[in-house]
Amino acid sequence: MSSERLVVYEPFRSIFYTPQFVTLYGGHFAAEGLDVEIRTSSGGVTTTSALIDGTAQVSLGGVMRSLDLADRGGPRLVHFAEVNSRNGFFLLRREPDPAFAWSQLAGRTVLSFAEAPTPWQCMLTVLRRHGVDPARVRIERTRPVAEAVAAFRAGHGDFLETGQPFTEILLAEGAAHLAASMGDATGPLPFSSYMTTTAALADRREMLTRFTRALYRAQQWLGGAAAAEVAALIAPAFPDVPFHIRRAAVARYLGQSTWAADPILRAPGYEYLQQILLDGGFITRRHRYEDLVDQDIARNVVGG
């Protein structure tokens, strides 16, 4: 059987997206006759622009991207398979404090994640939930992740909100200590999922079904795999990350049920995420779940 070539864009390279690399390096895409090339957004090419101009057939990212486009009257990009069911970021501090409280952020500076707005928007919701006015916290989102980590190491800021592998690297070095898991603090929500155009949903549905079936097999494998197995399998995607750091990052994500057990993106999670973005002023109005999510492909795959 000849393989069907497929370009998938991701917003940035991260161990957070392990299900994607398990699907690729575990041979699940290939088993469905798909030759998948994963490209990382850079320069002027984003996950959404790549779909709109036809460079990519599928992109990985947050529902936030589609909500933002819809809010501005742009084209509909529809999510069809959930990948991450938790926020994948962590709040780090300089000194250990087993009695951490969110009120400690008042009057302090947090170096936050600049590459995407959802971690910041979730932080605003968590602060409000714990009675902290976000206006009393200085949240800086001006530095790309590597620069934010370097600035924190150099003594700037009181807290750092970052993902993996930076969290494990800093913890292992003793350069930072864990204040809170944003995945635990935010709670379950469809943080990352695969999206495509309405045209592809209509014209390439069979391909998207095979794509989703491959992802689901990877998700099932992930559900029973040890962190060391996963870390070894995804190594080609992270050649510069030592095995012990990869394993620690995977173990932490597994421990908080970060990765979706199946590809179905359900309405309650969508509405929770939409409320976070409304409360944070990122979007100005509600958008119907049915307009931005196609759950039929995933339900057919899981049910079949």
Side-chain angles (χ1 to χ4, degrees):
M1 180 177 68
S2 61
S3 293
E4 183 173 1
R5 183 161 172 72
L6 189 64
V7 174
V8 175
Y9 263 76
E10 61 180 6
F12 46 87
R13 178 58 51 96
S14 174
I15 295 172
F16 188 37
Y17 297 140
T18 282
Q20 171 170 263
F21 301 111
V22 168
T23 314
L24 179 64
Y25 296 116
H28 302 294
F29 284 137
E32 290 292 337
L34 298 174
D35 176 16
V36 173
E37 178 191 352
I38 296 170
R39 298 180 187 173
T40 307
S41 298
S42 62
V45 182
T46 67
T47 53
T48 54
S49 72
L51 288 175
I52 292 166
D53 69 17
T55 302
Q57 292 75 52
V58 172
S59 283
L60 177 59
V63 175
M64 161 275 302
R65 303 285 180 193
S66 296
L67 286 165
D68 179 43
L69 268 177
D71 215 54
R72 294 186 283 111
R76 273 199 305 136
L77 296 180
V78 180
H79 294 250
F80 64 93
E82 185 170 325
V83 175
N84 293 331
S85 298
R86 293 263 180 174
N87 185 327
F89 291 79
F90 301 89
L91 184 66
L92 306 181
R93 61 182 306 151
R94 298 190 184 285
E95 303 297 332
D97 185 355
F100 169 75
W102 291 97
S103 58
Q104 295 171 8
L105 272 67
R108 302 291 185 88
T109 297
V110 178
L111 306 187
S112 189
F113 189 70
E115 282 84 344
T118 310
W120 162 57
Q121 291 283 304
C122 289
M123 173 68 79
L124 300 182
T125 288
V126 170
L127 289 171
R128 286 191 294 265
R129 184 180 296 154
H130 289 273
V132 180
D133 180 357
R136 297 186 61 209
V137 183
R138 180 180 175 83
I139 300 175
E140 294 186 1
R141 297 183 57 243
T142 56
R143 298 173 178 85
V145 61
E147 293 178 24
V149 170
F152 186 75
R153 285 182 186 276
H156 183 67
D158 303 293
F159 294 89
L160 172 69
E161 184 184 19
T162 194
Q164 296 286 18
F166 300 101
T167 291
E168 301 306 331
I169 291 169
L170 291 167
L171 292 178
E173 292 176 358
H177 300 270
L178 185 66
S181 158
M182 295 307 297
D184 289 339
T186 308
L189 79 172
F191 204 90
S192 314
S193 44
Y194 283 113
M195 57 183 157
T196 191
T197 61
T198 54
L201 275 174
D203 302 336
R204 305 193 69 180
R205 203 167 186 85
E206 188 268 341
M207 178 274 290
L208 295 173
T209 297
R210 285 187 283 135
F211 184 96
T212 305
R213 192 158 51 231
L215 171 64
Y216 184 40
R217 276 204 293 270
Q219 290 171 327
Q220 290 174 302
W221 181 84
L222 262 175
E229 289 180 276
V230 179
L233 181 60
I234 66 172
F238 305 98
D240 299 327
V241 179
F243 175 77
H244 72 283
I245 294 292
R246 261 184 285 124
R247 180 180 57 196
V250 167
R252 196 178 299 276
Y253 278 142
L254 283 172
Q256 63 181 38
S257 301
T258 300
W259 298 313
D262 65 54
I264 301 170
L265 201 164
R266 295 165 174 85
Y270 170 91
E271 295 298 349
Y272 175 38
L273 179 56
Q274 178 162 233
Q275 191 62 53
I276 286 173
L277 300 175
L278 281 165
D279 291 345
F282 185 76
I283 56 174
T284 60
R285 56 195 169 90
R286 291 191 177 278
H287 301 273
R288 293 195 326 147
Y289 168 81
E290 295 80 4
D291 291 339
L292 296 181
V293 177
D294 181 323
Q295 63 169 317
D296 291 343
I297 290 174
R299 286 203 178 276
N300 289 337
V301 163
V302 173

